[in-house]
Amino acid sequence: MRRSVSFSIAFTLFLLPLLLGLVETTSPNSAVAPEGLFVEAAPAHFVRGPTVNLVTNSSALIFWRTDVPMNATVDYGLETSNLNLTVSNTTVAGDHRITLTGLAVGSKYYYQVTSNGTTSDEYHFKTAPADGAEFKMIVFGDNRPSTDTAPVQPQEYSDLVDLVIAEKPHIVIMTGDYVQAIMESHSYNLDAWERFTNITDQLGHYAPIYGVIGNHDTGAYTGTLHLEYFFDAFEMYNEPSPYFSFDYAGVHFTLLNSEEIDNPGRITGTQYDWLVDDLTDTSRSMKFVFAHQPMYPLQHIKSALDRNMTEMNRLQQLFEDKNVTLFAAGHDHLFNRLTVNGVVHIIAGGGGAPLYSTPWGGAFYHYLKVDVRSGQVDFTAIDISGATREQYQLPYDGPIEIEARFLANNTLKRNGTLPQFYFSEIPDEVLYSWDGGSNSTTLTGFPDEPIEHTLDVYASDSEDLWSHERFLFNTFNPDWPTPTTSTSTTDTGDPPPPMDIMLILGIVGVVSAIVVVIILVRFKRN
Ligand SMILES: [Fe+2]
């Protein structure tokens, strides 16, 4: 009997989480209860939106979805509560797409939509400013749930969306991995994506959102891409394609697909050829490129766009040749900026999915704010508490930045390989020094002795300004190297001698002075 009671209690405890999970799974709206400053209740039969999409300096597409076919009207205007302009579509449909045209450049418009007498709340958006004028872009992503058993969006994503709304951005780019997985069950997939759009559309009321597709957004488990869910979540294509480009306020935007079913983690073949043409044909001096997988990952080392180094180097060279300003990605659930030969590489993957820890840091939930103004670009990483975590500005006029990455077998991380160094611009000269030894223009292999080793790296720019970073490597522990323990120093002229030599010289000098004093004292006594 006691055994039976114990079994019943244990069985109940086992079932309870499953039942709670089932309730979560079958009640999409319960997981995304509206909260926050800008969240307002939608009429019962408005399934999606309204959202503002494909915004130019003179037009915008308003999208919303009703649960049964209805007619559609958008009222809009330049003043709140005075929506004196109207566009209607008498075609009865469930998905409503109405394009507003003839809008004023760089202006704030208020709008609301009506279907069969039911009217939405009033929202607003900004048309694109004139080419070269100031605008604000937000980049974030990797908000996916941590498990596919209950595809509930992380609270952190909802909190970040509220912060991004408060930023009042002109445009938003998302870096992929919006759901945990696409499964065989269509109802599961609809539920998972609905949980994502329920939150994302709250931001979409106010700003156009473009997204790249992530590996979790594809049907990797099912063997086909299943792009239909991704396409349905983002109203951004005239001709559905997972890669495309557009111009906004004088900047050329290119969004790539790093998840081709036959070539995951590669930009190759037809898409690469298209990319070359796309970056060649544009006359815009500023170019922003986006994909889900980064080229210089911190966590997915050798399993992002760096899995094929020949193709990755080709891509980097293309970006340098075409003066690409920014390449932003996600995939690694962290923030990182690495400037390689003038191309700013940013990983903005802290949108809510479980964070990744690396020796390089950056494991915090965040969004990236990009302020573009007359040839100047300010990058600011802002965490979920609203605190600024990193700032960077272009044009950059500081000393060359030196960063280390480890190109290694992803299991061994280090053994038998050399670290790879990246410079924020192409240096005039580079010098290396292992363990305070003499400087060399070539990087030799790790010293054999199984102790911690230091590697000083010096780089000079065209003005003979030298940068210096010291890296600490632990060659007996098959762990990741400690990236750096030094601060960057700059100087003109020749690179400074290795720090260890300076230290030794200092010690020798002090000891010599003491010996001389002792000899003099004894000589005097005698
Ligand atoms: Fe990913």
Side-chain angles (χ1 to χ4, degrees):
M1 179 67 182
R2 183 178 298 169
R3 189 175 176 184
S4 172
V5 169
S6 301
F7 175 79
S8 298
I9 293 171
F11 188 68
T12 304
L13 289 173
F14 172 74
L15 270 185
L16 194 57
L18 294 181
L19 289 170
L20 289 173
L22 189 61
V23 169
E24 287 268 86
T25 305
T26 52
S27 306
N29 293 329
S30 66
V32 289
E35 288 180 358
L37 193 60
F38 294 87
V39 180
E40 296 150 276
H45 53 285
F46 279 38
V47 179
R48 288 276 312 273
T51 59
V52 59
N53 312 270
L54 301 170
V55 174
T56 71
N57 58 18
S58 63
S59 66
L61 171 70
I62 307 298
F63 167 80
W64 73 104
R65 177 172 293 159
T66 48
D67 55 352
V68 295
M70 297 178 181
N71 55 23
T73 298
V74 178
D75 295 303
Y76 64 104
L78 288 165
E79 297 174 22
T80 182
S81 304
N82 182 20
L83 309 181
N84 55 344
L85 300 166
T86 298
V87 179
S88 292
N89 186 350
T90 54
T91 303
V92 173
D95 283 1
H96 310 284
R97 294 178 179 86
I98 289 185
T99 299
L100 311 181
T101 57
L103 305 180
V105 62
S107 301
K108 185 175 182 179
Y109 279 89
Y110 299 84
Y111 74 101
Q112 63 186 24
V113 303
T114 301
S115 283
N116 279 20
T118 301
T119 301
S120 74
D121 293 315
E122 182 186 286
Y123 303 106
H124 54 80
F125 66 94
K126 286 174 274 194
T127 55
D131 290 0
E134 179 177 350
F135 72 92
K136 181 190 290 187
M137 171 177 71
I138 299 293
V139 181
F140 70 148
D142 284 273
N143 53 275
R144 66 170 174 79
S146 58
T147 171
D148 58 19
T149 54
V152 181
Q153 289 285 321
Q155 181 60 43
E156 289 84 355
Y157 177 53
S158 193
D159 293 344
L160 284 170
V161 164
D162 285 344
L163 288 173
V164 171
I165 292 170
E167 287 278 4
K168 298 181 171 58
H170 288 77
I171 185 171
V172 176
I173 309 289
M174 297 197 70
T175 55
D177 281 0
Y178 314 111
V179 298
Q180 216 287 336
I182 289 180
M183 311 292 272
E184 295 286 356
S185 164
H186 180 57
S187 61
Y188 170 93
N189 298 333
L190 287 178
D191 175 35
W193 283 92
E194 184 178 85
R195 290 172 186 272
F196 169 66
T197 55
N198 278 349
I199 298 172
T200 310
D201 283 357
Q202 294 168 26
L203 173 57
H205 293 322
Y206 302 99
I209 305 175
Y210 296 84
V212 295
I213 191 168
N215 53 308
H216 284 262
D217 308 319
T218 71
Y221 295 161
T222 62
T224 53
L225 269 182
H226 282 299
L227 291 173
E228 63 270 23
Y229 301 107
F230 169 66
F231 287 149
D232 187 67
F234 295 90
E235 280 294 321
M236 57 189 183
Y237 304 103
N238 291 319
E239 294 291 331
S241 168
Y243 57 87
F244 64 104
S245 66
F246 61 94
D247 290 339
Y248 184 94
V251 176
H252 189 66
F253 286 72
T254 304
L255 278 70
L256 299 175
N257 171 22
S258 61
E259 315 306 329
E260 288 191 30
I261 200 81
D262 297 325
N263 294 302
R266 299 169 65 188
I267 304 297
T268 188
T270 306
Q271 183 179 195
Y272 180 78
D273 295 341
W274 172 87
L275 176 62
V276 172
D277 290 342
D278 178 69
L279 295 178
T280 302
D281 294 343
T282 180
S283 60
R284 308 300 185 181
S285 59
M286 196 172 292
K287 305 172 188 72
F288 295 163
V289 182
F290 303 84
H292 175 60
Q293 299 198 25
M295 294 167 61
Y296 301 96
L298 302 187
Q299 209 280 336
H300 286 94
I301 294 176
K302 302 296 279 185
S303 61
L305 290 186
D306 60 343
R307 74 191 62 209
N308 183 315
M309 288 303 296
T310 302
E311 289 180 357
M312 195 206 81
N313 290 332
R314 179 179 67 167
L315 197 57
Q316 172 64 27
Q317 190 62 55
L318 176 68
F319 290 169
E320 292 176 28
D321 293 345
K322 303 302 180 187
N323 294 315
V324 168
T325 311
L326 164 71
F327 176 75
H331 202 42
D332 280 353
H333 301 166
L334 43 78
F335 174 81
N336 190 65
R337 178 190 60 80
L338 171 71
T339 307
V340 181
N341 296 341
V343 180
V344 176
H345 289 260
I346 281 180
I347 301 174
L355 294 169
Y356 293 154
S357 177
T358 75
W360 290 272
F364 51 87
Y365 295 111
H366 67 277
Y367 61 91
L368 173 73
K369 182 175 68 168
V370 182
D371 291 300
V372 182
R373 66 194 82 178
S374 60
Q376 178 180 321
V377 188
D378 293 328
F379 301 93
T380 310
I382 299 171
D383 71 20
I384 201 165
S385 73
T388 294
R389 300 295 288 264
E390 206 218 51
Q391 281 185 302
Y392 186 71
Q393 188 178 82
L394 291 178
Y396 172 75
D397 60 357
I400 291 180
E401 297 177 306
I402 306 170
E403 296 275 354
R405 288 290 182 279
F406 226 74
L407 298 182
N409 178 299
N410 202 32
T411 304
L412 298 177
K413 305 295 185 190
R414 177 199 54 75
N415 292 341
T417 60
L418 287 174
Q420 180 83 42
F421 292 96
Y422 296 107
F423 305 94
S424 56
E425 60 185 272
I426 298 173
D428 264 17
E429 190 177 4
V430 180
L431 297 172
Y432 304 95
S433 168
W434 278 114
D435 296 326
S438 56
N439 294 329
S440 171
T441 55
T442 57
L443 178 61
T444 55
F446 282 98
D448 292 333
E449 196 177 3
I451 59 172
E452 282 189 344
H453 294 281
T454 60
L455 177 61
D456 290 282
V457 181
Y458 303 91
S460 68
D461 65 12
S462 56
E463 297 173 346
D464 208 23
L465 191 68
W466 284 88
S467 298
H468 166 227
E469 286 284 352
R470 169 168 291 192
F471 299 90
L472 179 67
F473 292 94
N474 181 331
T475 61
F476 57 88
N477 184 347
D479 205 347
W480 289 19
T482 303
T484 180
T485 55
S486 75
T487 54
S488 182
T489 58
T490 60
D491 201 353
T492 55
D494 295 332
M499 292 296 290
D500 283 358
I501 289 181
M502 294 178 72
L503 186 63
I504 291 167
L505 288 175
I507 292 171
V508 169
V510 170
V511 171
S512 302
I514 292 171
V515 169
V516 169
V517 169
I518 291 172
I519 291 172
L520 285 175
V521 169
R522 287 194 172 178
F523 179 76
K524 196 172 182 182
R525 281 180 183 168
N526 292 337

